[in-house]
Amino acid sequence: MRPSLLDPLFVPVTSLDGVGPKVATLIEKVVPADLTAREARAGDLLFTLPSSIIDRRNRPGIALSAEGAIVTLDVRVDRHQPPPRGNRSVPYRVFVHDDTGEMALTFFHANATWLERTLPIGEHVVVSGRMEWFNGRPSMVHPDHIAFADKAEGLPLVEPVYPLTAGLHAKVLRRAIGQALARLPGLPEWQDAELMRRQTFPSFADALRRIHNPADPIDVSPESAAWRRLAYDEILAGQVSLALVRANVRKHVGRALQGDGVRIKALRDTLPYRLTSSQEQALTEIDADMAKPDRMLRLLQGDVGSGKTVVALLAMARAVEAGGQAALMAPTEILARQHFSTIGPLAQKAGLNVAVLTGREKGRERTGILDGLENGSIDIVIGTHALFQEAVRFRDLAFAVVDEQHRFGVHQRLAITAKGEAPDMLVMTATPIPRTLVLTAFGDMDVSRLTEKPAGRQPIRTVTLPFERYDELVGRISDALAEGQKIYWICPLVEESEEVKLTSAEERHAALRQEFGLRVGLVHGRMSGRDKDEAMRAFKEGKTRVLVATTVVEVGVDVPDATIIVIEHAERFGLAQLHQLRGRVGRGSKASTCVLLYKPPLGETATARLSVLRESEDGFRIAEEDLKLRGEGELLGTRQSGTPGFQIARLEFHADLLEIARSDARLLLTRDPALESERGEAIRVLLYLFGRDEAVRLLRAG
């Protein structure tokens, strides 16, 4: 059970004064938590941190206030000038002066009674807001604060600036955050005293108060002691929960998976190429893990086209030789079917029975597959998350492969392992993940890396091209089609949108159809699974030769004879994503080209991003650069999917805390595996506070 101590923070935000259902919906848009499954709670507001401050300490006097500056002025009210009756377009002006000069306070659609009460003639008041100058005359439009001089000490001189959304006023959000802070109960200290001293960390409550009530710009910097304290709390909660998952996984005793080597030999003999040395190295590590009685939990990182699937197939074959079954789970139907088309023929030659199971298999076909899994006649099943539905039962699931792990959270890892008697698990990702992030997201795993491309693969030439040269590009594609090449054309949107002036996939498809006729196909995420597969098959078989697509083709889609990829509005994509997309070509023996089509002028980050991509094909270097340019949440695609993306920690500032938290978590759980000591109890509070309830449940299940 969650400690009752935390109850004041777990009430809905609608229980705060001034927050009705409408405001709550707006607050949910700015609160950083993953709220897909629930409404926002008061505690979420504590972690909605300011991005900057407004400094109202500048008091230069009217005549010395610079254009656009935020100033605070001590003035006397001279006269009111309401708009002419019936003409609402003219603003209401209140003229004021100080020792240096006169200015107008300007209000549109004003309430005259309220202004007369707030700014009485002859009264000495303090106003704060942005200064504007028209034709040499100073003005302040809708001051942010107005107070009588004798009551002005309550004015916030340093104000935090929070992320907002249309319709949500800064004052409303600030008031709600203030109420949440006031509800913060006295919490036990979960951090090690020596670490606090070394890092000069304030207490949890002091850190929150310092950031939400800043006295100086440094207080809202991610590098301040207060922000680092909260970042460490969040990272530690993550590392403790990963360590608990790992302990839980290891607790279910695995088994040694060793076979006679017959299937493995048959498979290797059917491969049309030799494995690279890094594939062999990864297999050696995986085989060693499988041979032990402990459960395997290993991450296989390999750049696009480095041959992860074959490594996974050989590992699955070993599990089948040992008398078990294996499952490969992919994040999308397209990918599951593609793995099936790659793995199926090889596996069959080696005498392995492989099936595919997604949401699309229905009726008799589905029943046949479910029966085959239950009676053990199917050795390997490939599918989407449909594999962990209740109805799916295995005779003996000994080995599970999860593809593109960052699309699956820790709880899904647990769900699939529940399907067998503690199956070994191999997680694959084609997103090259910097070492710091491997610690964050996969602290519970051992890691193998594939660093080479299979023999015969050509490097990909990457060029940047401004939109002005679109016609030239179409001419070049016409030549490529005449030579029998295949082309991907990637667009950022499915259909045209009013807000964003970008060419949509549907629009580009129509334009290219006019140029190249029926040879142009279209695939995007809103199409049904069957239509997507049909479009991919037509492209693979050469019925269409240009495929206009959104980023659904980003991961794993394999058409070896595609040699050109055009990425439209390349400046809109992140580095890791551009690198993934580029990896759709260069999969055969022909030289390939990636064209980054951009709309000038480019901002500084976009320029840096495109030039990194032009210079390098090394996914790990690209990932490190991407981390510097964008921060970790975007890189793992986690801002959307709520895996290890952080609310508070920013890895570009706090990477040093990861190592400390990892060893802190391991040491803590070695000494106190059930978190029953005084610090252990406090750590439980921390886990609940950061939404790591599933980790606490593991303790109970233990």
Side-chain angles (χ1 to χ4, degrees):
M1 290 287 289
R2 182 178 68 231
S4 55
L5 175 74
L6 290 175
D7 289 350
L9 301 180
F10 279 76
V11 296
V13 288
T14 44
S15 63
L16 303 174
D17 290 343
V19 182
K22 192 174 167 194
V23 171
T25 308
L26 296 172
I27 284 177
E28 282 180 8
K29 290 183 180 171
V30 298
V31 164
D34 175 23
L35 289 174
T36 44
R38 61 176 177 80
E39 59 187 352
R41 300 188 283 223
D44 296 322
L45 287 166
L46 298 178
F47 302 131
T48 305
L49 302 187
S51 52
S52 60
I53 62 158
I54 297 173
D55 192 339
R56 300 189 184 280
R57 292 174 298 183
N58 182 16
R59 295 189 167 212
I62 292 172
L64 302 172
S65 298
E67 163 69 35
I70 288 176
V71 296
T72 300
L73 302 170
D74 298 78
V75 296
R76 194 170 290 280
V77 181
D78 295 330
R79 60 196 167 92
H80 283 234
Q81 184 182 305
R85 185 159 295 195
N87 189 346
R88 301 277 290 158
S89 62
V90 175
Y92 190 120
R93 290 190 172 88
V94 178
F95 290 92
V96 298
H97 77 275
D98 68 3
D99 297 342
T100 68
E102 183 191 58
M103 75 167 183
L105 303 177
T106 306
F107 301 88
F108 290 90
H109 307 295
N111 177 327
T113 315
W114 179 80
L115 283 174
E116 284 159 9
R117 197 171 60 243
T118 311
L119 292 162
I121 292 171
E123 189 67 52
H124 187 176
V125 295
V126 175
V127 294
S128 186
R130 190 177 298 281
M131 208 60 180
E132 296 180 19
W133 288 76
F134 297 107
N135 301 328
R137 290 169 174 234
S139 161
M140 189 182 281
V141 180
H142 289 280
D144 301 323
H145 295 283
I146 304 172
F148 291 132
D150 55 359
K151 298 199 173 78
E153 68 280 355
L155 274 187
L157 291 180
V158 178
E159 247 176 294
V161 176
Y162 293 99
L164 293 174
T165 186
L168 181 63
H169 295 293
K171 281 182 183 169
V172 172
L173 181 61
R174 270 204 299 273
R175 199 165 56 237
I177 289 172
Q179 291 181 63
L181 264 179
R183 286 172 176 244
L184 185 65
L187 297 174
E189 181 53 77
W190 46 76
Q191 295 300 1
D192 174 67
E194 176 53 29
L195 175 83
M196 298 255 301
R197 194 187 58 72
R198 251 193 346 262
Q199 293 283 344
T200 64
F201 283 162
S203 73
F204 178 73
D206 282 348
L208 282 169
R209 288 191 195 105
R210 210 177 281 180
I211 293 176
H212 287 297
N213 304 309
D216 201 83
I218 186 67
D219 291 336
V220 299
S221 158
E223 293 170 273
S224 68
W227 197 306
R228 280 176 64 82
R229 155 76 208 228
L230 298 179
Y232 188 74
D233 289 335
E234 181 176 32
I235 291 170
L236 183 64
Q239 290 299 315
V240 169
S241 62
L242 279 172
L244 285 169
V245 168
R246 187 184 180 95
N248 192 59
V249 164
R250 296 282 149 116
K251 193 170 61 199
H252 296 291
V253 179
R255 57 177 158 172
L257 294 174
Q258 280 174 306
D260 53 15
V262 174
R263 302 280 176 88
I264 302 279
K265 183 179 182 316
L267 259 180
R268 282 179 174 268
D269 290 346
T270 61
L271 291 178
Y273 46 79
R274 288 186 55 186
L275 297 184
T276 64
S277 55
S278 60
Q279 282 175 311
E280 293 287 9
Q281 173 63 32
L283 276 167
T284 305
E285 291 165 356
I286 291 167
D287 289 348
D289 281 356
M290 292 175 79
K292 290 180 197 154
D294 303 325
R295 280 194 68 190
M296 171 171 101
L297 193 53
R298 183 169 285 277
L299 175 68
L300 179 61
Q301 270 191 285
D303 212 340
V304 176
S306 56
K308 293 180 298 298
T309 312
V310 170
V311 173
L313 174 58
L314 286 162
M316 290 194 286
R318 179 171 295 276
V320 175
E321 280 185 352
Q325 291 164 295
L328 189 160
M329 189 174 70
T332 65
E333 204 167 305
I334 284 188
L335 272 179
R337 293 188 176 279
Q338 173 150 319
H339 279 309
F340 182 59
S341 64
T342 311
I343 286 174
L346 293 170
Q348 266 163 344
K349 284 183 191 161
L352 296 164
N353 186 10
V354 185
V356 64
L357 182 65
T358 64
R360 193 186 323 161
E361 279 64 41
K362 299 274 189 287
R364 195 170 292 164
E365 184 186 9
R366 187 178 190 81
T367 310
I369 295 168
L370 293 176
D371 290 347
L373 290 173
E374 200 164 354
N375 65 32
S377 60
I378 292 174
D379 299 313
I380 296 175
V381 64
I382 297 165
T384 53
H385 53 270
L387 291 181
F388 14 90
Q389 288 166 356
E390 291 295 313
V392 182
R393 292 193 184 82
F394 292 84
R395 184 180 63 79
D396 180 11
L397 179 63
F399 193 83
V401 181
V402 179
D403 190 19
E404 284 309 319
Q405 154 63 28
H406 65 274
R407 312 286 169 97
F408 299 107
V410 166
H411 34 282
Q412 280 120 323
R413 288 219 283 272
L414 293 171
I416 196 159
T417 53
K419 284 286 176 195
E421 289 298 314
D424 281 357
M425 184 173 275
L426 179 69
V427 163
M428 307 195 294
T429 178
T431 308
I433 304 170
R435 199 175 159 281
T436 42
L437 283 191
V438 170
L439 285 180
T440 344
F442 309 103
D444 54 338
M445 297 189 185
D446 302 305
V447 181
S448 295
R449 265 188 173 187
L450 299 182
T451 51
E452 307 154 80
K453 290 209 168 171
R457 291 272 173 98
Q458 298 283 333
I460 303 166
R461 183 167 148 259
T462 303
V463 294
T464 48
L465 203 67
F467 254 101
E468 286 78 87
R469 294 172 63 187
Y470 170 82
D471 292 341
E472 196 182 313
L473 175 62
V474 170
R476 169 73 191 87
I477 282 174
S478 184
D479 296 344
L481 287 173
E483 292 163 16
Q485 297 187 46
K486 282 186 189 168
I487 294 119
Y488 286 108
W489 191 299
I490 307 297
C491 298
L493 296 172
V494 176
E495 57 203 24
E496 198 179 357
S497 102
E498 279 304 305
E499 297 99 78
V500 196
K501 284 288 167 232
L502 301 180
T503 311
S504 70
E506 287 169 342
E507 228 182 310
R508 180 59 66 220
H509 175 246
L512 292 174
R513 268 257 159 121
Q514 288 183 337
E515 297 282 348
F516 306 121
L518 296 175
R519 292 181 292 175
V520 185
L522 173 67
V523 62
H524 58 69
R526 295 212 194 138
M527 290 161 69
S528 70
R530 184 159 280 134
D531 289 348
K532 266 190 257 183
D533 283 356
E534 197 41 61
M536 287 308 307
R537 186 157 54 247
F539 184 55
K540 224 170 168 161
E541 291 169 3
K543 288 177 188 155
T544 55
R545 303 201 72 84
V546 178
L547 185 65
V548 178
T550 54
T551 52
V552 287
V553 303
E554 178 185 335
V555 192
V557 174
D558 194 18
V559 181
D561 54 349
T563 50
I564 296 175
I565 185 164
V566 177
I567 304 173
E568 191 165 334
H569 284 290
E571 75 278 6
R572 309 278 304 194
F573 293 95
L575 248 181
Q577 197 177 25
L578 286 170
H579 177 65
Q580 287 278 335
L581 287 164
R582 173 170 65 179
R584 297 303 102 231
V585 296
R587 300 173 85 87
S589 52
K590 287 194 179 133
S592 292
T593 307
C594 170
V595 181
L596 304 172
L597 198 55
Y598 68 88
K599 191 86 176 239
L602 285 179
E604 199 178 322
T605 305
T607 306
R609 211 180 274 163
L610 298 188
S611 63
V612 167
L613 211 71
R614 257 204 327 265
E615 290 157 20
S616 176
E617 268 196 78
D618 174 354
F620 292 103
R621 187 204 146 193
I622 286 169
E624 295 288 355
E625 292 294 331
D626 204 16
L627 183 60
K628 286 181 203 151
L629 290 172
R630 292 203 301 170
E632 83 298 334
E634 303 290 328
L635 191 57
L636 284 175
T638 56
R639 283 285 176 258
Q640 292 74 35
S641 55
T643 355
F646 290 118
Q647 300 178 42
I648 294 165
R650 306 273 182 275
L651 287 190
E652 55 273 43
F653 299 112
H654 306 134
D656 61 309
L657 299 176
L658 265 168
E659 292 279 8
I660 304 171
R662 192 185 196 193
S663 38
D664 191 359
R666 288 192 166 178
L667 185 63
L668 171 75
L669 289 169
T670 307
R671 290 177 178 166
D672 180 16
L675 296 183
E676 288 166 336
S677 65
E678 190 181 342
R679 186 180 178 205
E681 289 289 346
I683 288 278
R684 286 172 180 242
V685 173
L686 169 74
L687 291 172
Y688 277 114
L689 204 53
F690 280 95
R692 301 286 181 170
D693 311 32
E694 75 261 24
V696 188
R697 279 199 291 278
L698 288 181
L699 280 171
R700 289 210 303 276

